[in-house]
Amino acid sequence: MTDILLITISGEDHPGVTAGVTAILAQHGVSVLDIGQAVIHATLSMGLLVEVPRHCDQEIVVAQLQAQVEQQGMQARISPVSAESYARWVEAQGRARFIITLLARKITADQIARVTEVVSRHGLNIDGINRLSGRIPLGELPDLSKACVEFSVRGPLSDSGAFRRDLLEVAGVLDVDLAFQQDNMYRRNRRLVAFDMDSTLIEAEVIDELAARAGVGEQVSAITERAMQGELDFSESFRARVALLAGLEEGALEQVAAELKITEGAEHLISTLRALGYKTAILSGGFTYFARYLQKRLGMDYVHANELDIENGQVTGRVSGTIVDGERKAQLLRQLAANEGIDLQQVIAVGDGANDLPMLSIAGLGIAFRAKPLVKQSAEQSISTLGLDAILYLLGFSDRYQQGN
């Protein structure tokens, strides 16, 4: 028979606190059932759940612990835990666990309050809260600051759809991003990340840039609008827009490529993924010419896009091969996963347009990035507040483990 004690210790952090406490427990043959420790602004909070053998004098154990903690200038609270309470705690470990990731330029108390209110209203318990982003200085926010807090929650969730809708409502009101995903073995075991190119990896629609140089910007925009209204499918509208580019000098492509603006966080994200052993791909309804340029600049592994015909130094207005539309992107994603020998659950897909939805829907983690409203509503996850490197937070990587931080 044993007694169970809950020990909570707090105070100014300094070396030797944990060593001193556990040394006393070791002298009495105590087993540690659970342990947790956090330090916030040089203040330590530590908890231990322990079982004390019945042959030990519990009062002596408690007295020695109190003396040790007081000697180190800290405070301790030691309380007994009933066998019934412990049994309920053990039974709870089989409950589903979820991760909620809050993304913003700066974290506020209002954001935390509203998120945790939703969690409480749906009957979930918060097991842990961690800041994944770096420390933010006081005063005016630095350019492109980023902040992330991750909540680990547990419990039976009767209506995940309603829970997700409530989180999205909070995100919309506060102008933040809230990602919600199950905490399973795939979360930190993704191996392949596939990106759309235009308005995802780069802050432009290349075909619009080319159309402007060809003097057909308005005509191309009109066809794009018809496609968005459902009057034309992607392949039909794409061929019609490309046809208007006929006669454009090849030098214009070089100019557009040189002026491409990489999306916030893209370079940091790709370099970190590469360092972590991930494979990366561009699956684009745009042009191979520009995708290859990005592949070389960012260090991507795979590229699949549309081949723009060029003859005698001019664009012909035609594309060769199969058009990379939404269904083709999904097909290519399956092929890449098969070639890498991985499950689709280990794949991440990122895009902003309706033609990205098929690949977002089959990937283990589909992310709508700065997407149109329809895409944002349809995708499992969305990021609009921060740059592309916020994806690392969704994978559970804090800033201190990221490349270049």
Side-chain angles (χ1 to χ4, degrees), residues 228-306:
M228 292 178 64
Q229 296 298 328
E231 298 176 18
L232 301 170
D233 66 18
F234 178 84
S235 295
E236 184 181 4
S237 68
F238 182 73
R239 291 186 186 279
R241 285 178 288 176
V242 171
L244 292 170
L245 301 179
L248 182 66
E249 296 293 333
E250 186 176 4
L253 276 67
E254 296 177 9
Q255 294 173 5
V256 170
E259 296 172 5
L260 288 178
K261 185 177 181 181
I262 305 297
T263 299
E264 175 194 348
E267 292 172 296
H268 175 220
L269 171 63
I270 301 302
S271 64
T272 302
L273 291 173
R274 188 166 58 245
L276 293 170
Y278 285 69
K279 296 292 186 179
T280 56
I282 296 175
L283 302 182
S284 173
F287 301 116
T288 304
Y289 184 98
F290 301 95
R292 293 292 184 197
Y293 172 86
L294 281 179
Q295 180 183 32
K296 183 177 180 180
R297 179 170 174 179
L298 297 176
M300 312 284 286
D301 295 294
Y302 303 105
V303 162
H304 292 280
N306 297 301

Side-chain angles (χ1 to χ4, degrees), residues 290-368:
F290 301 95
R292 293 292 184 197
Y293 172 86
L294 281 179
Q295 180 183 32
K296 183 177 180 180
R297 179 170 174 179
L298 297 176
M300 312 284 286
D301 295 294
Y302 303 105
V303 162
H304 292 280
N306 297 301
E307 198 67 47
L308 185 63
D309 280 345
I310 299 174
E311 294 180 1
N312 301 319
Q314 292 185 330
V315 174
T316 66
R318 300 185 299 273
V319 289
S320 58
T322 304
I323 296 292
V324 180
D325 58 7
E327 292 306 319
R328 178 62 175 162
K329 286 186 178 186
Q331 181 185 14
L332 289 167
L333 193 65
R334 289 189 179 94
Q335 289 178 2
L336 287 174
N339 292 343
E340 291 292 329
I342 61 175
D343 191 278
L344 280 171
Q345 283 294 321
Q346 295 175 276
V347 174
I348 301 170
V350 188
D352 73 299
N355 66 326
D356 295 312
L357 283 174
M359 75 171 182
L360 298 187
S361 67
I362 65 170
L365 181 62
I367 303 171

